[in-house]
Amino acid sequence: MQAEAKSLYVQGNVFAFLGMIIWAMTYPLTDVLLGTWHPLTLAATRIFGAGLVLFLISVLVQSNFVGWKNWPLKRACVTAVVGLGLSTISMNFAFQYSNPVNIAVIATTGPLVSAVMGMIRGEEKITPRLSFAIIMAIVGGVLVSVSNLETELGFQGGEILMIIAVILWVWFSRVSVTKLRVIPAFPRMAFMSVIAGIAIFPFLALIEFTGLTSIMPTWSDMERWLSVVLIFGVAFSMVFWMMSADRIGVTIAGMHGNAVPFYVVLIMIFFGGSVNGWQITGAILVATGATLAQLDIVKLKDAIA
């Protein structure tokens, strides 16, 4: 039993690392496409497209759909629309009405939000070690984010939307690995991504018909290829994230997410970028926090398979 638990934790950390690396790779692609695409158009395209990719992969493994008649699909629909759909909308508008530094810093609070949710619901025990690990992960994420971005700080309004986005995403992840765990990871994320993408389309239609702004994307050859690569990146990063959360819990998996800005820096080195001491220090703090949280004898309930 103990060996099985250790194996689950190793798998969970590997999946978290892969998911965050792939997620980091989508950042430059997103930045390029946002130059000509409306944020909501891009959000709907990447989520809906990722869902279709994951569905096609899921059908290749027949065992993924064993017992599908007993799946809690109604709960999955609500979770997808509220958790994944609305969090994506909130995050996109947060980027529009805030600055990258504030958004990145708020995003690092994911593990803390998850731990508090778990404590309130009696699903997690907040030990001193876990508390210290969460603080290390948050401080590390803040260091990497702030040292990587040169933007004027200050409250601009979008921060509230980002806080809402973080809360909704954490809630979505926790429900997915507890109430919806009977659904295998690939079809689970495929179904909810498609539903979330569909839920965003009415917002797009409302914006288009009211004439507030143009939401129709441009389709140059370069943008077409970038959007396809982005969809695949989002698909695999999300499913790896869910497979990680299934094994080590949302709180610890979220700590891995705080290293994403550092991974972005490493990726940009290949394009002439550089890395500094603060970024390395921040990445070490995040990794140490994620490791320290898993040394507790008291395991998170949602990390046990």
Side-chain angles (χ1 to χ4, degrees), residues 146-203:
V146 174
S147 63
N148 186 38
L149 300 166
E150 296 180 0
T151 306
E152 291 185 5
L153 301 176
F155 180 79
Q156 299 178 24
E159 292 79 8
I160 296 177
L161 292 174
M162 188 60 191
I163 292 173
I164 294 173
V166 170
I167 293 174
L168 289 174
W169 170 257
V170 171
W171 175 81
F172 162 78
S173 299
R174 295 191 66 89
V175 172
S176 297
V177 302
T178 53
K179 307 298 184 181
L180 305 177
R181 193 162 182 173
V182 65
I183 309 176
F186 270 85
R188 187 195 319 164
M189 287 308 301
F191 178 77
M192 290 197 290
S193 297
V194 169
I195 294 298
I198 292 175
I200 296 177
F201 286 133
F203 290 92

Side-chain angles (χ1 to χ4, degrees), residues 78-257:
V78 174
T79 304
V81 173
V82 177
L84 186 56
L86 292 184
S87 68
T88 301
I89 292 174
S90 296
M91 184 179 66
N92 276 272
F93 278 106
F95 271 101
Q96 187 170 0
Y97 295 107
S98 183
N99 61 73
V101 173
N102 292 356
I103 295 301
V105 170
I106 293 172
T108 66
T109 62
L112 176 61
V113 173
S114 177
V116 172
M117 284 186 181
M119 181 180 64
I120 293 174
R121 296 180 60 86
E123 297 172 346
E124 294 188 22
K125 182 177 180 180
I126 308 300
T127 64
R129 177 176 289 174
L130 179 60
S131 300
F132 184 62
I134 292 174
I135 292 173
M136 290 184 68
I138 291 176
V139 171
V142 171
L143 275 178
V144 175
S145 301
V146 174
S147 63
N148 186 38
L149 300 166
E150 296 180 0
T151 306
E152 291 185 5
L153 301 176
F155 180 79
Q156 299 178 24
E159 292 79 8
I160 296 177
L161 292 174
M162 188 60 191
I163 292 173
I164 294 173
V166 170
I167 293 174
L168 289 174
W169 170 257
V170 171
W171 175 81
F172 162 78
S173 299
R174 295 191 66 89
V175 172
S176 297
V177 302
T178 53
K179 307 298 184 181
L180 305 177
R181 193 162 182 173
V182 65
I183 309 176
F186 270 85
R188 187 195 319 164
M189 287 308 301
F191 178 77
M192 290 197 290
S193 297
V194 169
I195 294 298
I198 292 175
I200 296 177
F201 286 133
F203 290 92
L204 297 177
L206 178 63
I207 293 174
E208 181 69 23
F209 291 143
T210 55
L212 294 176
T213 183
S214 175
I215 61 170
M216 297 302 294
T218 56
W219 289 103
S220 67
D221 290 339
M222 176 63 71
E223 289 172 331
R224 188 177 296 112
W225 280 108
L226 287 179
S227 61
V228 170
V229 174
L230 178 62
I231 286 172
F232 274 87
V234 170
F236 283 101
S237 64
M238 286 199 305
V239 78
F240 279 142
W241 157 262
M242 196 55 63
M243 293 168 71
S244 169
D246 279 345
R247 290 161 173 77
I248 62 178
V250 175
T251 301
I252 297 175
M255 294 183 190
H256 283 274

